[in-house]
Amino acid sequence: MKLNEPFCVPAACLLSIESALSSRLSPAMLSLHPLHQHAPSVLSIRPKASLPFCPLRHSITFNNQAAIFSPRRRRELYVRALDAAQPFDYESKLAAAHFHSSQHLKIAIIGFGNFGQFLATTLVRQGHTVLAHSRSDYSDAAKSLGVSFFSNPHDLCEEHPEVILLCTSVISIEWVLSSLPLQRLKRSTLFVDVLSVKEFPRDILLELLPADFDVICSHPMFGPQSARHNWKGRAFVYEKVRIGNEESRISRCEKFLDIFAREGCRMVEMCCEEHDKHAAGSQFITHTVGRVLELFNLESTAINTKGYEALLDLVENTAEDSFDLYYALFMYNKSALEMLERLDLAFEALRNELFDRLHNVVRKQLFEKVQNSQDSYTWPQNGAALSSSALVVRSQDNAQPYEYKGQISDRFDDNLKLKIAIVGFGNFGQFLAKTIVCQGHTVLAYSRSDYSDIAKKLGVSYFSDADDLCEEHPEVILLCTSILSTEKVLKSLPLQRLKRSTLFVDVLSVKEFPRSLFLQNLPPYFDVLCTHPMFGPESGKNGWNGLSFVYDRVRVGSQESRVSRCDRFLDIFAREGCRMVEMSCAEHDQHAAGSQFITHTMGRVLEKLGLESTPINTKGYETLLSLVENTAGDSFDLYYGLFMYNVNAMEQLERLDHSFESLKKQLFGRLHGVLRKQLFENAEKLQISWER
């Protein structure tokens, strides 16, 4: 620039120049910040022509008036502060305006482990600048994600991130926060935590952070496993604990929250106290059940039910999290211990209910055995003792001999439709009847209760008399009774009125028991098919596609018509998309004890716990609520039957009890260790203070 050439200074710098004049500093020393915007009014500054040029002597022309200033002496410059934060002067306001116009944030993630990297992936994809710091070296992982990694927290803080996102564990947050060089951050920085408990970090942040910093307590109710595909519909809970009233700070807060809103999260604003109250009843219980089943070594089987699949997913999700996270949910949520005690009581109540029922059954059998032994003896007549069972109706069969019928007709091959009699027309019988009728089969029904009106609506012929039903000669007898009543119902049927080639089918949840019952009580000319639809009215309400149907052809005649009839019955379920699984009854019961019985047990324990939906349900907790809904729809007789008539069930119940006790020992053992450490540390401090 030539000496006599004027140069322009924005009018916005007038205050800074006047300040320089008043302190006798040269305008040449003024910092012209790049954020200054040009204004139409300018100051013309040129060296005074009549004086020898000196960089410390200038004239200022303002509205054609000249002023001369000259410092009396040169002053040395001293560094007044090491604080990297800028004062809230005009330049800061301009920077804030620039920030307000930007949609992207500079976010520093502290704690770049599994969850930190999970969040960073989405933050980078949305265009935000992401920095990271962690005790471990994650520089390679950060580089692959497009994140700048800093091993030194001072270097990170000097980058002046707008948001500090704390992704540490609950246990380490206090130490991590205390180790950060807060003096190197801008004093308006926003701090955000993402911990699973909220009152504890809120208190820590308010205690350790100066009042200049903004604070949001948040909890993404999902993680790398449960939201591996997307965050849509997942709850994001937050509380604006402390946000400055400047527009730029409010805008920054909204822009941070918008990160999650843009991904489709369900945004839930909730105070920390209310969050922890709900979380103890949802998240802690979810993790507890998941970890109990993990200790139980829950494994997939060939006949998983929908509910069992949900439990396997729950185990997978919770196993991804460290025990430290689970311990923190227990340790730092004051409602967690109460929930653990309630869960323990619920499990104990269910077990007592099972054993009480078992005790009553055994006692009843003992008394009946004594009574039967007295009644079975009849006083001698004409010198001979006769058993009360000696008078038996040998046959009232009005059906044609099977051999004759087979010779004159083979109608099964001529007609693809079946005539099926459902014995036990309760909830499950009606559920099956709807689909069977829809497929065009003829359906008859019989039950102890009067379901004639319901049967009529479904297009089913209802019979209140078992003899009348059997005289219709159904090709299939489908037993839809409870496990406890199956034997009684089977023995009450007038078998002699049926065709001797009739196919008997059961749909019970246990298989060895009905198999033995059929083989013991049915004449050998009846066919037997043991089946188990691994679904019910609730889990199969939207269709049977993909749901398992297990079967065992226990006894099917070799004639083509009988083989065809069995196949046509199975085809009812195959046509609906069921996954057809042929399996022996013994193998079924072995798998079912480890899947169906455990599923029902957990569902009934949680039902006794009184689980309720909350505004912040996680995916895992929704699974538990669905499990309770599904199992609660079944009678206790069904559950008791799973326990009573499966030889493997008692062992599974004991293993589940042992797993729960092991988890409690882990929790209380860790708690004992923490308390013991605190006691010894306090003792050492007292000893040192006494010595001084």
Side-chain angles (χ1 to χ4, degrees):
M1 181 182 69
K2 296 179 181 180
L3 292 180
N4 292 324
E5 181 181 351
F7 61 96
C8 294
V9 178
C13 292
L14 179 59
L15 295 176
S16 298
I17 296 175
E18 289 177 346
S19 176
L21 289 172
S22 63
S23 60
R24 291 191 172 89
L25 291 177
S26 168
M29 298 176 66
L30 291 174
S31 170
L32 299 180
H33 198 279
L35 287 175
H36 289 156
Q37 300 175 352
H38 292 289
S41 300
V42 299
L43 295 172
S44 177
I45 303 179
R46 72 178 75 216
K48 187 70 175 175
S50 61
L51 297 174
F53 175 74
C54 174
L56 296 180
R57 180 180 294 159
H58 294 75
S59 71
I60 299 178
T61 302
F62 182 68
N63 293 335
N64 298 322
Q65 300 294 323
I68 301 174
F69 70 91
S70 176
R72 297 177 180 175
R73 64 179 185 278
R74 296 175 182 271
R75 287 187 175 183
E76 296 182 8
L77 298 177
Y78 295 93
V79 177
R80 297 296 184 188
L82 290 173
D83 193 348
Q86 300 294 328
F88 257 82
D89 57 5
Y90 179 75
E91 291 184 2
S92 298
K93 292 178 180 177
L94 283 178
H98 175 71
F99 165 78
H100 184 64
S101 65
S102 171
Q103 292 301 313
H104 297 137
L105 297 169
K106 184 189 285 188
I107 302 172
I109 296 177
I110 308 297
F112 203 60
N114 194 24
F115 195 76
Q117 295 173 34
F118 167 68
L119 293 181
T121 304
T122 298
L123 298 178
V124 171
R125 178 169 52 78
Q126 287 193 10
H128 301 283
T129 301
V130 181
L131 321 176
H133 164 68
S134 203
R135 286 179 295 177
S136 303
D137 183 9
Y138 290 110
S139 53
D140 291 338
K143 187 177 180 180
S144 66
L145 294 173
V147 173
S148 301
F149 187 80
F150 295 82
S151 56
N152 189 318
H154 290 264
D155 295 336
L156 177 124
C157 290
E158 286 177 352
E159 291 291 319
H160 289 176
E162 295 150 290
V163 180
I164 297 288
L165 185 58
L166 293 166
C167 295
T168 61
S169 68
V170 184
I171 297 171
S172 64
I173 185 172
E174 185 173 2
W175 180 86
V176 170
L177 196 59
S178 300
S179 68
L180 289 179
L182 302 179
Q183 74 278 7
R184 302 201 179 281
L185 294 168
K186 288 186 178 180
R187 287 171 289 178
S188 62
T189 306
L190 170 62
F191 274 74
V192 183
D193 87 283
V194 290
L195 298 182
S196 302
V197 292
K198 294 272 63 78
E199 285 187 274
F200 174 71
R202 180 201 62 189
D203 294 344
I204 291 292
L205 289 168
L206 293 178
E207 178 185 347
L208 297 180
L209 292 180
D212 298 324
F213 293 113
D214 289 348
V215 175
I216 292 178
C217 284
S218 76
H219 182 197
M221 305 289 289
F222 51 89
Q225 187 63 31
S226 59
R228 57 184 178 271
H229 301 303
N230 58 64
W231 301 356
K232 189 175 182 180
R234 311 288 186 215
F236 181 85
V237 186
Y238 65 95
E239 181 182 3
K240 301 175 185 180
V241 177
R242 185 174 66 203
I243 304 295
N245 54 14
E246 292 89 349
E247 186 180 353
S248 60
R249 299 170 82 157
I250 295 171
S251 172
R252 176 182 57 193
C253 171
E254 297 302 328
K255 276 187 277 186
F256 176 79
L257 295 174
D258 189 57
I259 292 170
F260 299 88
R262 286 179 59 188
E263 296 298 316
C265 288
R266 184 166 56 87
M267 307 299 287
V268 182
E269 188 166 8
M270 177 182 291
C271 71
C272 294
E273 290 86 356
E274 188 180 358
H275 168 278
D276 283 4
K277 183 180 178 181
H278 288 308
S282 59
Q283 198 178 19
F284 176 68
I285 289 298
T286 304
H287 277 260
T288 299
V289 172
R291 289 194 173 272
V292 166
L293 296 176
E294 182 186 10
L295 291 171
F296 186 80
N297 291 324
L298 209 64
E299 295 179 349
S300 182
T301 72
I303 56 171
N304 293 348
T305 60
K306 196 174 180 181
Y308 190 65
E309 290 282 0
L311 290 184
L312 290 173
D313 289 341
L314 181 65
V315 172
E316 185 180 359
N317 288 341
T318 52
E320 291 288 322
D321 298 319
S322 66
F323 188 81
D324 280 349
L325 169 62
Y326 174 61
Y327 174 71
L329 292 173
F330 170 70
M331 183 69 179
Y332 296 101
N333 190 327
K334 56 190 178 185
S335 305
L337 182 59
E338 177 193 350
M339 295 304 297
L340 190 67
E341 291 172 347
R342 287 181 57 201
L343 186 63
D344 196 7
L345 291 173
F347 184 72
E348 189 66 27
L350 181 66
R351 192 167 53 176
N352 289 340
E353 197 171 351
L354 280 175
F355 292 155
D356 285 347
R357 178 74 71 90
L358 181 62
H359 177 258
N360 290 334
V361 170
V362 172
R363 184 174 57 187
K364 183 178 179 182
Q365 287 177 346
L366 287 173
F367 279 103
E368 286 180 349
K369 188 175 182 181
V370 172
Q371 186 67 36
N372 289 337
S373 64
Q374 293 174 352
D375 296 342
S376 63
Y377 183 76
T378 304
W379 291 106
Q381 295 179 1
N382 299 327
L386 299 175
S387 170
S388 63
S389 60
L391 300 176
V392 178
V393 179
R394 295 299 180 187
S395 177
Q396 293 181 359
D397 193 355
N398 63 354
Q400 297 293 330
Y402 174 72
E403 295 78 4
Y404 173 77
K405 211 64 173 174
Q407 292 173 6
I408 64 171
S409 177
D410 197 355
R411 290 181 296 173
F412 291 127
D413 291 335
D414 298 334
N415 187 3
L416 294 176
K417 303 304 178 185
L418 295 170
K419 183 189 284 188
I420 301 172
I422 297 177
V423 177
F425 203 59
N427 194 24
F428 195 77
Q430 295 168 30
F431 168 66
L432 293 181
K434 292 176 185 176
T435 298
I436 296 173
V437 169
C438 284
Q439 289 192 13
H441 301 283
T442 300
V443 180
L444 321 176
Y446 163 73
S447 200
R448 287 178 297 176
S449 303
D450 183 9
Y451 291 110
S452 54
D453 291 339
I454 296 175
K456 187 176 181 180
K457 291 178 182 177
L458 294 175
V460 173
S461 301
Y462 188 79
F463 294 81
S464 57
D465 188 293
D467 289 271
D468 293 338
L469 177 96
C470 292
E471 286 177 353
E472 291 292 319
H473 289 175
E475 298 155 272
V476 180
I477 296 289
L478 183 58
L479 287 171
C480 294
T481 59
S482 70
I483 301 175
L484 302 180
S485 63
T486 297
E487 184 174 5
K488 182 179 178 180
V489 170
L490 186 63
K491 289 180 177 180
S492 70
L493 290 177
L495 303 180
Q496 69 280 2
R497 301 196 180 281
L498 294 168
K499 288 185 178 180
R500 286 173 291 175
S501 63
T502 305
L503 171 64
F504 274 76
V505 183
D506 86 286
V507 289
L508 297 181
S509 302
V510 292
K511 293 270 67 75
E512 285 193 277
F513 170 70
R515 175 184 177 275
S516 300
L517 200 62
F518 281 155
L519 295 179
Q520 289 172 12
N521 292 279
L522 292 178
Y525 43 75
F526 286 119
D527 288 349
V528 174
L529 178 67
C530 285
T531 76
H532 182 197
M534 305 289 289
F535 50 90
E538 187 61 35
S539 56
K541 61 187 175 186
N542 297 319
W544 303 354
N545 189 43
L547 301 176
S548 297
F549 182 87
V550 186
Y551 64 96
D552 183 9
R553 303 173 200 254
V554 176
R555 185 175 67 201
V556 177
S558 58
Q559 290 89 346
E560 185 180 349
S561 60
R562 298 171 81 159
V563 173
S564 172
R565 177 182 58 191
C566 178
D567 289 339
R568 278 181 285 154
F569 178 81
L570 293 173
D571 189 57
I572 293 171
F573 299 88
R575 287 179 60 186
E576 296 299 317
C578 289
R579 187 169 64 88
M580 307 299 287
V581 182
E582 186 165 12
M583 178 182 291
S584 71
C585 293
E587 188 180 359
H588 168 278
D589 281 6
Q590 186 178 1
H591 288 309
S595 60
Q596 197 179 22
F597 177 67
I598 291 300
T599 303
H600 276 261
T601 299
M602 294 311 305
R604 290 193 173 273
V605 167
L606 296 173
E607 182 187 10
K608 288 185 176 296
L609 193 63
L611 288 193
E612 295 179 351
S613 183
T614 74
I616 56 172
N617 293 349
T618 60
K619 185 180 179 182
Y621 190 64
E622 291 283 0
T623 297
L624 294 185
L625 291 174
S626 298
L627 180 65
V628 171
E629 184 180 0
N630 288 340
T631 52
D634 298 319
S635 66
F636 190 83
D637 280 350
L638 169 63
Y639 175 60
Y640 175 72
L642 293 173
F643 170 71
M644 183 68 181
Y645 296 100
N646 190 326
V647 294
N648 306 287
M650 180 66 83
E651 177 194 351
Q652 299 296 328
L653 192 65
E654 291 173 352
R655 284 184 57 207
L656 190 63
D657 188 22
H658 178 72
S659 298
F660 188 43
E661 290 299 320
S662 297
L663 183 64
K664 286 195 294 183
K665 286 179 181 177
Q666 267 186 287
L667 280 175
F668 294 133
R670 175 75 73 91
L671 181 61
H672 178 259
V674 170
L675 293 175
R676 185 173 54 187
K677 183 180 178 182
Q678 289 177 348
L679 287 172
F680 278 105
E681 286 179 352
N682 290 337
E684 288 177 3
K685 290 177 181 177
L686 285 173
Q687 186 176 359
I688 293 171
S689 64
W690 288 339
E691 290 174 354
R692 289 179 180 175

